């Protein structure tokens, strides 16, 4: 699971072009939106596309996205249970 968390951090940094952010700068429990990484709704769309492209996961319910993208830990748990790639 730690390997998946690191992979997710690297993908987030790459997909969202987060300059000056390293994987170790992102706390596994920190919120990705708002106070944590400070991501916004456009970033959420990018993350949804990244999940589908890299893990074969389609997120149909926007409300579910709030729980999935709460933190690296919640993303990793969701990916490990639902990935098709």
């Amino acid at each position: 699971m730690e390997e998946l968390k690191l992979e997710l951090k690297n993908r987030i940094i790459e997909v969202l072009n987060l300059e000056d952010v390293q994987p170790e700068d992102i706390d596994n429990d920190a919120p990705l939106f708002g106070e944590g990484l400070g991501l916004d709704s456009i970033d959420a769309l990018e993350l949804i596309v990244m999940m589908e492209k890299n893990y074969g996961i389609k997120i149909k319910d926007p409300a579910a996205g709030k729980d999935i993208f709460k933190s690296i830990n919640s993303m990793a748990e969701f990916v490990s249970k639902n990935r098709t790639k």
Side-chain angles (χ1 to χ4, degrees):
M1 186 73 97
E2 291 306 313
E3 192 175 306
L4 176 58
K5 290 176 188 177
L6 180 60
E7 180 182 320
L8 286 168
K9 290 178 186 182
N10 283 315
R11 289 192 192 279
I12 289 169
I13 291 168
E14 180 184 331
V15 168
L16 302 179
N17 296 317
L18 300 178
E19 297 177 9
D20 301 326
V21 176
Q22 300 299 317
E24 56 272 10
D25 297 336
I26 304 172
D27 187 301
N28 289 339
D29 290 317
L32 297 177
F33 293 85
E35 308 161 6
L37 268 185
L39 303 184
D40 60 25
S41 58
I42 293 176
D43 295 325
L45 294 174
E46 294 281 348
L47 292 178
I48 289 168
V49 170
M50 182 266 297
M51 294 282 267
E52 186 172 340
K53 183 176 161 187
N54 293 292
Y55 303 107
I57 296 172
K58 292 188 182 201
I59 300 171
K60 297 177 180 109
D61 180 7
K66 287 184 178 183
D67 290 329
I68 296 164
F69 298 126
K70 191 176 288 184
S71 68
I72 292 295
N73 283 336
S74 60
M75 280 182 73
E77 189 172 319
F78 184 80
V79 169
S80 69
K81 290 179 181 174
N82 297 284
R83 73 188 306 171
T84 60
K85 290 185 180 180

